[in-house]
Amino acid sequence: MLGRTHLQGIAERVLAEASADQTEVMIAANDSHLTRFATNTIHQNVSETDVSIRVRSVIGHKVGVASGNDPSDSALKELVERAETVARFQQENPEIASLPEPKPIEEVEAYVEATAGSTPIERAKGAKEILDRSEKRGAEAAGAFSTEAQEMMIANSRGVMAYHRGTVAEVMAVVMGKTGSGYAAEASIDVRRLNPAKVGEVAVDKAVRSADPTDIEPGEYTVILEEEAVADMVFFLGWLGMGALSVQEGRSFMTGKIGQKVTGDKITIWDDGLDPRGIPLPFDFEGVPKQKVVLIENGIAKGVVYDTFTANREGKSSTGHSLPAPNTMGPIPINLFMAPGQATKEEMLAATERGIWVTRFHYTNPVHPMKTILTGMTRDGTFLIENGKITRPLKNLRFTQSILEAFENADMLGSELKMVKSDWGSMATCAPAARIHGFTFTGTTEF
Amino acid sequence: MREYTDRALNVAQVAGASYADIRIVRRTTQEITVKNGVVQALSFDTNFGFGVRVIADGAWGFASSNRLEKEEIDRVAKLAVTIAKASAVAKKEDVDLGPPEVHSDTYRTPVEIDPFEVSLEEKIDHLLAADKEARSVEGIMVARGSMAFQREEKTFASTEGSYIEQDLIETGIGLTVNAVGKGEMQQRSYPNSFGRHQGTSGYEFVEEWDVPGNARRIAEEAVALLSAPQCPSKVTTIILDGPQLGLQIHESCGHPIELDRVFGTEAAYAGTSFLTPEKYRNFRYGSEIVNIVSDAITPGGLGTYGYDDEGVPAQRTDIVRGGMFVGYLTSRETASRLRKIHPDAPERSNGAMRADGWNRIPIIRMNNVSLMPGEWTLDDLIADTDDGIYMITNKSWSIDDRRLNFQFGTELAYEIKGGKLGRMLKNATYTGITPRFWAGCDAICNEDHWHVWGTPNCGKGQPGQVAHTGHGAAPARFRDVQVGMMK
C-alpha cells in the first residue's frame, strides 16, 4: 500500500501543474491477489500492483479527462497537459457545473491488515480446504480465493482532499458432481471471517443433492430465492433505474413514479456507503460524501441517487453517487441494501406447498429496462419443493420476469442479510432470501 | 526492452522457474462520446506495465506491476515463482505446454489512416453531424454517438527463446438513439449495438460506416417502434441480420469451443461447455450448410492479430465443417491435454490465448469466430420465406452455463408474410437450444452480405477480463424457432 501521504503527494503535484479553471485528480491504488482452482487443482494464481491516476480539467463550461498509471513527475505533467488540451477542444456545455466543494467526510474503518497481508500459501491452504472436501465426495471443485487492498484519493482545486483505504476478501466455489452442481460463497472486508471449509461443505452438499436432476414444465411457480438470486435482482434495479440520469432521460421505471407504489409493501431498498455490512466507501468519485438514500420504502418509490451534474440540473445537491469521469451512465447506487424480513429459509420451505428452490441465477440481463424485465438461468442447485420439503433436484430453468412484479409477490423475506460481492469491481449488494409467488419460468435446459 | 525481458526471465529461472514469459504492454485509448449535441466525454488513457508468467514446481504463477524498473522486475519475477510454488500445494500433475514455440517477429495492424493522427475537431464534428441528424427526428429523447481508438504495443519474450513485438490498432464508431413513450423506451443502434462497431483498422473504418448518413433512419425506426405491435409468441421461421447472428455465433459457438471451459477451468464463473471432448469430430452441431471457422488473420476483424499472448502465430481453424463439430480454440496447455485424449488432434495450439492487458493472465479467447457465407441474397431469402420474422440488431442476451439454452432480444423486427416484409414489431425475442437451433439453419446469405462484426465487450475469467472479438456473419434463416418470450 502506498499510504495517504504518498497519494496526497501525487495529488498535490497534479494540482500544482494545473492551469485550468478547476482541476480534479482521482488516484486509485490496488494490490490484488487471486488464487483460482478448478478440477480440484489450483490452475491460476495471480497478483497485481497498480495505481491509476485520472485528471479532470474544467475550463469554463468545458471538461477534459486524461488518465494513466505512471506517477512519475514527467508523466503527471503530461497527464495534466493532455486533460487541459482535451478540455480546450470541447464545445461549451452550459450544464457543466463547478466541481464540488469540500464537505466533511465521515471516516469508515474498512481496512483489515490481515486481508492486506494475506499470502499465496494462506490462500492456497484455503482453496485446499474446499478441494479436499470435494475430492472426498468424488466431485470436482472450481472457485477462487481473492484478497485485495485498495486506496482511493480524490482531490480538487477547490479544496477537496478525500482519502479512503479498504480491503475485501472473497472465497467462492462451484462443486460439480457427474450430473449436478452446487455453489457457496462468502465475502468480507476481513479475510479471517471467511470460512473456506464451510463454503466447501455447503457447495459439496448441494452438488450431491443436485445429482440426477429431473425435468419440470416451465410456467409460473412459487420460488424460494436464496440471497445471491435476490441480490442479482436488486443490483439490476439499481443499475436500470435508480440513478438520476436514467430518470431525467425517461428510461427509468422510477420516471414519474416518485411517491407512488411501484412494488410490494415488504420491499425497502436503500444505498448506504457507510454501512460496514457492505463494502464501505465513504465518498464518491468526485469526493462528495455518500449519503444514505432510501430508494424504495415499503414498495413506494422514494428517490434516486445524484452526482454533481444531475443534481445541478434539478437544483439539488449531489448525494455522493458519481462514477469516475468521464461518465455517460450517470450516478449509480453501488452500496445497495434490501431490508430483511423475519423468516428463516427453513420456515419459508416449511410454509411452501409446491415451489422451486433457486440457489442463484446465471447470466441475467435486461429484456425491457422500463418494465424491469430480466432473463437468466438458474444454476448450481435448483430443487422442487413439495409439501414443505425439498423432494428432488431439477434441471435448470430460464426465467423471464419483471423484478418489480416479482417483488410485488414476495410474501416472506429472510431474516438475515448476506453481502454478495459483484463479479466486477468492489461493489456489493446486501440482500435477504425471499419467497415469491407466480415467478415466471419460460424455458428449460438439458442439465 | 530486451534488457528488461532478459532480466525478468533470468530472475525467474534463478528463482526456480522451469518456464517463464514476460509481456510488456502499453495500451493507449481515446474515447469520445457526444450526447444530445454536446461532447459528454472525451478522454485519453495510457496504461503501461508488465506481467511475468512462470511454471515452477510444475504449477503456474503470475505477477504483474505498473513499474518497469529493475528492482520491481526482480520482485515481480520472484513473486511469480513464489505464487507458482504455492499453486503446487494443490496440483494433480505438472503443466505440459507441448512442443516449444520459438518465434522472433514483429506485427503491426495494417492501417491506411492512423486514428491517433486525426484531429479531435474532425472526430467531434463527425459525431456532432450524426447527433444532429438523429435529433432532427421528433420523439428522440437521447442520441449518443461514440468513437473509440486503441493502440496496444506489446512485447513478448519467453525462456524458450521467443521475442515478438506487436502494434495492434483498433477503431470503433457507433450511434444509439432512444425514443421514449408512455411506459416504453425503444432503442436503435448503428452499425451495431454495445455502443459501437469496432475493428482492427485505421480511421478509414469511421468513413466506411457513414454513421451520419444512417442517423435519421435509425431515429425514425426508434420512434416508429414505440407504436409498433408487440412481437407475438409462437414457433416460426426467423431470419437474423448480420450483427444479431454475430452475437448468436459468439454465445452459442464461440464460448463452448473454448477448450479451457471444456476442461472445466472456467467453471467457477462463466461455466463449462456442452461440447465435451468425446464430441470432438463426432457430433452434429448444425445443418449441413453450417461451416464455422475461427481465425485471427481476417483483415479488419476485431479478433485479428499476429501472435497470441503465448507467442503462438495467428492462424485459421475449422470449427464446424458441413455441420459437424471438428475443432476447438486452444492454448498450448489445453492442446497438449486434448492430444492425450485424441492422439490425432493437432500437436500445437491454434493461438487463442489472450490477456486483457499486462496485469491479467492469458486465457483462451475467441479471435474471429465466423459463420461462412452461403449463396442467397437477402432479397431472395425474404422472398422465399412465406411466414416468419426478420430480427435486426441485438438488444438483450443470455445463455446457460453450458451454452445450450439461449434467449436473445433484438432492437427491431419485421413480420414476413408471403415473401415480403410486413409490419414492424417491437420487443422481439427468440429462444432455443444450441444444436437444435443450428440444425434448423436452412439458408445463409452470400459473401456480399458477409461482414466481420466486432464485439468489444466479452467478459470472462477471475479477475475479470474483457476481450475484443470478431464474428463474420451474413443474414441467415432458421426454422421452427420459439419467439416472443416477453409478456
Side-chain angles (χ1 to χ4, degrees), chain A residues 301-323:
Chain A
K302 298 298 280 189
V304 292
V305 298
Y306 288 85
D307 58 9
T308 302
F309 180 85
T310 52
N312 183 56
R313 274 183 162 175
E314 296 183 30
K316 294 182 173 175
S317 297
S318 168
T319 57
H321 290 85
S322 160
L323 296 182

Side-chain angles (χ1 to χ4, degrees), chain B residues 241-319:
Chain B
D241 78 334
Q244 173 55 38
L245 188 52
L247 193 67
Q248 176 77 50
I249 296 164
H250 178 100
E251 299 288 11
S252 67
C253 182
H255 277 304
I257 61 170
E258 296 163 345
L259 197 48
D260 53 357
R261 291 181 68 114
V262 173
F263 285 140
T265 55
E266 290 295 322
Y269 177 54
T272 57
S273 170
F274 74 97
L275 288 173
T276 42
E278 78 281 0
K279 293 191 175 81
Y280 180 63
R281 296 176 174 172
N282 186 32
F283 178 75
R284 176 157 288 285
Y285 177 87
S287 66
E288 288 181 359
I289 65 167
V290 174
N291 292 290
I292 297 175
V293 301
S294 83
D295 85 78
I297 54 177
T298 297
L302 191 54
T304 299
Y305 44 83
Y307 290 82
D308 77 354
D309 287 330
E310 288 192 309
V312 175
Q315 52 202 274
R316 175 185 165 118
T317 303
D318 282 350
I319 300 297

Side-chain angles (χ1 to χ4, degrees), chain B residues 106-365:
Chain B
T106 58
Y107 173 85
R108 185 172 196 267
T109 303
V111 298
E112 291 173 26
I113 307 167
D114 184 338
F116 290 92
E117 297 297 320
V118 177
S119 72
L120 275 173
E121 291 103 315
E122 184 176 338
K123 293 167 181 169
I124 290 169
D125 285 349
H126 194 89
L127 288 173
L128 286 172
D131 179 276
K132 189 177 175 187
E133 269 297 296
R135 288 188 304 115
S136 69
V137 175
E138 194 176 340
I140 292 300
M141 185 80 171
V142 176
R144 184 174 55 253
S146 70
M147 287 188 194
F149 309 98
Q150 177 173 298
R151 162 169 279 143
E152 196 164 63
E153 298 157 278
K154 303 202 275 195
T155 301
F156 172 90
S158 76
T159 49
E160 292 174 341
S162 278
Y163 190 86
I164 299 161
E165 292 176 306
Q166 297 192 83
D167 186 0
L168 307 174
I169 296 172
E170 295 179 10
T171 294
I173 183 165
L175 176 70
T176 298
V177 297
N178 292 348
V180 177
K182 198 176 177 199
E184 189 69 82
M185 192 265 289
Q186 290 295 332
Q187 169 182 305
R188 284 291 290 127
S189 306
Y190 176 85
N192 203 350
S193 44
F194 327 117
R196 61 186 182 269
H197 176 35
Q198 196 152 314
T200 51
S201 180
Y203 194 75
E204 62 274 11
F205 186 89
V206 167
E207 292 159 357
E208 180 188 339
W209 283 96
D210 186 20
V211 171
N214 286 275
R216 173 177 285 274
R217 174 180 60 80
I218 62 166
E220 288 170 348
E221 287 168 351
V223 173
L225 277 165
L226 289 175
S227 52
Q230 177 85 8
C231 173
S233 178
K234 61 179 180 177
V235 174
T236 189
T237 295
I238 63 171
I239 296 174
L240 301 180
D241 78 334
Q244 173 55 38
L245 188 52
L247 193 67
Q248 176 77 50
I249 296 164
H250 178 100
E251 299 288 11
S252 67
C253 182
H255 277 304
I257 61 170
E258 296 163 345
L259 197 48
D260 53 357
R261 291 181 68 114
V262 173
F263 285 140
T265 55
E266 290 295 322
Y269 177 54
T272 57
S273 170
F274 74 97
L275 288 173
T276 42
E278 78 281 0
K279 293 191 175 81
Y280 180 63
R281 296 176 174 172
N282 186 32
F283 178 75
R284 176 157 288 285
Y285 177 87
S287 66
E288 288 181 359
I289 65 167
V290 174
N291 292 290
I292 297 175
V293 301
S294 83
D295 85 78
I297 54 177
T298 297
L302 191 54
T304 299
Y305 44 83
Y307 290 82
D308 77 354
D309 287 330
E310 288 192 309
V312 175
Q315 52 202 274
R316 175 185 165 118
T317 303
D318 282 350
I319 300 297
V320 175
R321 193 189 306 129
M324 295 301 291
F325 166 58
V326 295
Y328 287 111
L329 290 164
T330 64
S331 63
R332 293 181 62 183
E333 186 181 5
T334 57
S336 172
R337 187 169 165 192
L338 181 65
R339 203 168 152 82
K340 286 167 188 157
I341 302 168
H342 293 283
D344 58 339
E347 185 182 26
R348 291 179 180 275
S349 160
N350 55 26
M353 284 285 268
R354 291 195 289 158
D356 182 11
W358 55 269
N359 54 356
R360 293 288 182 268
I361 197 167
I363 53 178
I364 295 178
R365 305 312 302 255

Side-chain angles (χ1 to χ4, degrees), chain A residues 108-235:
Chain A
V108 53
E109 193 52 61
Y111 183 87
V112 178
E113 195 61 51
T115 306
S118 173
T119 66
I121 202 75
E122 287 168 350
R123 288 190 300 279
K125 283 179 179 169
K128 204 158 183 320
E129 295 275 3
I130 297 167
L131 302 181
D132 289 347
R133 280 164 176 77
S134 165
E135 204 155 16
K136 213 175 278 179
R137 299 298 295 267
E140 288 194 339
F145 192 156
S146 61
T147 54
E148 183 170 11
Q150 302 166 316
E151 292 175 284
M152 173 84 70
M153 168 146 289
I154 313 287
N156 74 26
S157 54
R158 298 191 71 193
V160 167
M161 189 67 77
Y163 173 82
H164 174 74
R165 66 174 187 167
T167 53
V168 61
E170 183 184 30
V171 60
M172 58 84 64
V174 172
V175 172
M176 292 178 293
K178 284 191 175 56
T179 54
S181 62
Y183 168 86
E186 290 182 357
S188 171
I189 61 171
D190 188 347
V191 70
R192 294 168 301 186
R193 287 194 209 146
L194 302 185
N195 187 341
K198 187 178 159 207
V199 167
E201 278 163 19
V202 172
V204 167
D205 174 63
K206 265 208 173 131
V208 169
R209 289 194 289 118
S210 294
D212 302 319
T214 51
D215 291 305
I216 193 167
E217 281 297 308
E220 291 191 1
Y221 289 88
T222 294
V223 290
I224 295 175
L225 304 180
E226 290 202 62
E227 295 88 344
E228 278 82 358
V230 176
D232 210 351
M233 297 166 81
V234 173
F235 170 81

Side-chain angles (χ1 to χ4, degrees), chain A residues 54-57 63-67 82-83 86-87 325-326, chain B residues 42-45:
Chain A
R54 188 173 292 253
V55 177
R56 177 160 60 150
S57 300
V63 176
V65 175
S67 55
R82 187 164 271 187
V86 168
Chain B
L42 179 44
S43 64
F44 280 100
D45 181 73

Side-chain angles (χ1 to χ4, degrees), chain A residues 104-436:
Chain A
I105 291 169
E106 190 176 328
E107 290 212 6
V108 53
E109 193 52 61
Y111 183 87
V112 178
E113 195 61 51
T115 306
S118 173
T119 66
I121 202 75
E122 287 168 350
R123 288 190 300 279
K125 283 179 179 169
K128 204 158 183 320
E129 295 275 3
I130 297 167
L131 302 181
D132 289 347
R133 280 164 176 77
S134 165
E135 204 155 16
K136 213 175 278 179
R137 299 298 295 267
E140 288 194 339
F145 192 156
S146 61
T147 54
E148 183 170 11
Q150 302 166 316
E151 292 175 284
M152 173 84 70
M153 168 146 289
I154 313 287
N156 74 26
S157 54
R158 298 191 71 193
V160 167
M161 189 67 77
Y163 173 82
H164 174 74
R165 66 174 187 167
T167 53
V168 61
E170 183 184 30
V171 60
M172 58 84 64
V174 172
V175 172
M176 292 178 293
K178 284 191 175 56
T179 54
S181 62
Y183 168 86
E186 290 182 357
S188 171
I189 61 171
D190 188 347
V191 70
R192 294 168 301 186
R193 287 194 209 146
L194 302 185
N195 187 341
K198 187 178 159 207
V199 167
E201 278 163 19
V202 172
V204 167
D205 174 63
K206 265 208 173 131
V208 169
R209 289 194 289 118
S210 294
D212 302 319
T214 51
D215 291 305
I216 193 167
E217 281 297 308
E220 291 191 1
Y221 289 88
T222 294
V223 290
I224 295 175
L225 304 180
E226 290 202 62
E227 295 88 344
E228 278 82 358
V230 176
D232 210 351
M233 297 166 81
V234 173
F235 170 81
F236 269 103
L237 273 188
W239 183 58
L240 291 175
M242 289 175 161
L245 190 64
S246 64
V247 173
Q248 291 169 357
E249 292 181 348
R251 57 185 163 84
S252 165
F253 61 88
M254 301 279 256
T255 303
K257 298 281 178 62
I258 300 296
Q260 297 178 26
K261 192 165 184 301
V262 292
T263 190
D265 295 343
K266 295 184 184 304
I267 305 301
T268 295
I269 297 170
W270 69 93
D271 185 90
D272 188 355
L274 299 177
D275 193 325
R277 292 176 295 178
I279 301 176
L281 182 63
F283 52 85
D284 69 3
F285 297 93
E286 298 180 308
V288 175
K290 278 183 179 280
Q291 294 174 24
K292 178 178 176 180
V293 179
V294 177
L295 303 155
I296 293 175
E297 188 170 37
N298 300 326
I300 294 169
K302 298 298 280 189
V304 292
V305 298
Y306 288 85
D307 58 9
T308 302
F309 180 85
T310 52
N312 183 56
R313 274 183 162 175
E314 296 183 30
K316 294 182 173 175
S317 297
S318 168
T319 57
H321 290 85
S322 160
L323 296 182
N327 163 32
T328 58
M329 291 173 61
I332 303 284
I334 61 171
N335 302 90
L336 282 165
F337 291 79
M338 181 166 165
Q342 294 174 328
T344 65
K345 283 185 272 190
E346 291 72 23
E347 287 168 347
M348 290 183 204
L349 179 62
T352 303
E353 195 176 325
R354 182 176 166 81
I356 294 174
W357 180 290
V358 176
T359 296
R360 65 165 176 155
F361 294 141
H362 170 80
Y363 217 149
T364 41
N365 256 328
V367 176
H368 195 296
M370 286 190 79
K371 293 180 179 172
T372 68
I373 296 174
L374 297 183
T375 189
M377 296 295 299
T378 66
R379 183 177 172 183
D380 301 326
T382 306
F383 303 96
L384 181 67
I385 302 166
E386 292 173 300
N387 300 319
K389 289 181 179 159
I390 286 175
T391 53
R392 58 185 165 98
L394 297 174
K395 289 181 181 173
N396 288 301
L397 295 148
R398 170 169 297 286
F399 69 92
T400 306
Q401 170 67 54
S402 157
I403 306 170
L404 291 176
E405 283 180 19
F407 285 170
E408 176 77 37
N409 296 325
D411 71 341
M412 297 175 88
L413 295 178
S415 53
E416 291 182 12
L417 286 188
K418 181 172 184 181
M419 190 251 272
V420 180
K421 185 179 174 297
S422 161
D423 290 329
W424 297 75
S426 288
M427 297 184 289
T429 301
C430 294
R435 186 176 81 159
I436 294 169

Side-chain angles (χ1 to χ4, degrees), chain A residues 36 40-41 43 45 47-48 67-69 86 89-90 135 249 363 365-366 368 379 398 424 444-446, chain B residues 35 39 44-46 48 66 87 90 92 184 251 265-267 269 359-360 397-398 400 405 436 462:
Chain A
R36 200 172 187 213
N40 291 343
T41 185
H43 68 305
N45 206 342
S47 168
E48 176 193 351
S67 55
N69 67 339
V86 168
F89 271 106
Q90 297 267 29
E135 204 155 16
E249 292 181 348
Y363 217 149
N365 256 328
H368 195 296
R379 183 177 172 183
R398 170 169 297 286
W424 297 75
T444 60
T445 190
E446 296 181 354
Chain B
K35 191 169 168 183
V39 181
F44 280 100
D45 181 73
T46 303
F48 179 74
N66 64 320
S87 302
K92 289 281 181 293
E184 189 69 82
E251 299 288 11
T265 55
E266 290 295 322
Y269 177 54
N359 54 356
R360 293 288 182 268
W397 64 97
S398 174
D400 73 38
N405 178 308
R436 284 180 229 157
Q462 295 170 299

